[in-house]
Amino acid sequence: MPEGHTIHRLAQDYASRFAGRVTQVTSPQGKFSDAAALLDGTVLRTTDAHGKHLFLGFGNADWVHIHLGLFGKVAFGPAPAPPPTDTVRLRLANATSYVDLRGPTTCALVTGPEKDAIHARLGPDPLRDDADPGAAYRRISRSRTTIAALLMDQKVIAGVGNVYRAEVLFRHRIDPYRSGKDITPAEWDAVWHDLVALMREGVRNNRIDTVRPEHTPEAMGRPPRVDDHGGEVYVYRRAMRPCHICGGEIRTADLAARNLFWCPTCQRA
Ligand SMILES: [Zn+2]
């Protein structure tokens, strides 16, 4: 499942190639054909992202709401577009570029008020300028649920996935099993601002790096991480490997239906 930085990066990439221009809109797969016919030949006005939800704004009012889910994929390419395969749910094309969306959980035409309702049920997104971290803290500070589960709850905070939750808790030495109500305002403030910085860097680089300058492979004289997720991290998918700070073994356990990773020495209750 992509994390929020991927969706914000997609919003930028859709906008840079298509916004302000008349766009051909098709659904080679057929599942989005009626909506595509309505949008075809109109101008992509703008794009928006909130957590793991992507919105493409066409004309004056219509939005395409996209959620990639576990299997959704987006692929950009230069014009001319090749003949589409029948797995393409949504293709946008113009004189210079095309982009294909395959396998999303959601690809639906929604009105402005319907889009507003989607925003309303999501927590604040560290990558949005309008985000209110206090709204997340009000829910966290009243909850007995673990902070590791709360960080994955999109109603509490939107866009944080399995990598950022593990890494930000490590960076702030917070035991992932502490309950939300035990997180202090100062801890939340630090976690939030760190997520803003880390996730912005994720959008820029299109990958997740979370180690501080003193813990890079160069600084530590260690080999770079080899992992198909890329990026230098402290704990994510490093179970049974030595912690970069204390040398102890990184642990893993199931939490909120996903694998949690943490260092029991560095992250104390
Ligand atoms: Zn450690």
Side-chain angles (χ1 to χ4, degrees):
M1 172 96 63
E3 306 211 11
H5 71 296
T6 302
I7 307 306
H8 281 263
R9 175 64 181 249
L10 285 175
Q12 289 182 2
D13 289 347
Y14 268 97
S16 67
R17 289 164 174 82
F18 298 97
R21 304 169 68 176
V22 171
T23 306
Q24 293 170 2
V25 183
T26 55
S27 179
Q29 184 189 45
K31 286 189 181 173
F32 193 65
S33 290
D34 292 351
L38 288 172
L39 301 175
D40 188 31
T42 64
V43 172
L44 178 69
R45 184 169 36 84
T46 187
T47 65
D48 195 12
H50 189 154
K52 299 176 181 183
H53 299 256
L54 173 65
F55 301 93
L56 309 177
F58 285 88
N60 292 322
D62 292 322
W63 294 86
V64 178
H65 170 217
I66 296 167
H67 192 291
L68 294 179
L70 280 177
F71 304 109
K73 290 268 185 301
V74 174
F76 293 90
T85 63
D86 61 9
T87 57
V88 176
R89 181 79 56 89
L90 172 65
R91 169 174 280 189
L92 306 190
N94 60 26
T96 54
S97 299
Y98 75 95
V99 57
D100 286 343
L101 167 69
R102 290 181 174 82
T105 297
T106 303
C107 175
L109 194 60
V110 299
T111 63
E114 287 168 336
K115 177 175 181 279
D116 292 342
I118 295 165
H119 289 296
R121 63 169 205 254
L122 293 169
D125 175 344
L127 288 169
R128 287 180 67 88
D129 293 336
D130 62 1
D132 170 19
Y137 189 68
R138 282 190 286 281
R139 299 185 75 136
I140 290 168
S141 61
R142 285 199 299 256
S143 176
R144 293 176 187 281
T145 305
T146 63
I147 185 63
L150 290 165
L151 285 176
M152 296 285 275
D153 183 342
Q154 302 296 303
K155 299 187 297 298
V156 174
I157 178 171
V160 174
N162 208 18
V163 189
Y164 283 122
R165 79 150 170 189
E167 294 298 310
V168 81
L169 291 175
F170 180 90
R171 284 168 59 95
H172 296 273
R173 298 185 160 239
I174 294 172
D175 183 321
Y177 289 97
R178 277 173 61 190
S179 63
K181 64 181 176 47
D182 295 332
I183 301 296
T184 67
E187 282 174 324
W188 178 248
D189 190 56
V191 164
W192 175 269
H193 285 100
D194 207 23
L195 284 169
V196 170
L198 289 171
M199 292 175 74
R200 281 186 183 159
E201 190 185 331
V203 174
R204 261 196 312 277
N205 299 338
N206 219 357
R207 68 175 219 176
I208 300 178
D209 292 281
T210 61
V211 300
R212 298 188 170 97
E214 61 269 34
H215 299 126
T216 61
E218 301 75 35
M220 293 181 72
R222 62 177 173 84
R225 177 167 177 255
V226 178
D227 187 287
D228 56 15
H229 284 239
E232 284 295 333
V233 296
Y234 285 108
V235 292
Y236 180 69
R237 300 213 330 186
R238 294 195 68 247
M240 298 169 65
R241 300 181 65 91
C243 174
H244 291 325
I245 291 183
C246 74
E249 204 170 85
I250 303 299
R251 272 203 219 156
T252 186
D254 188 77
L255 200 150
R258 302 290 295 278
N259 289 325
L260 172 71
F261 300 89
W262 81 105
C263 173
T265 306
C266 291
Q267 296 171 259
R268 309 301 291 265

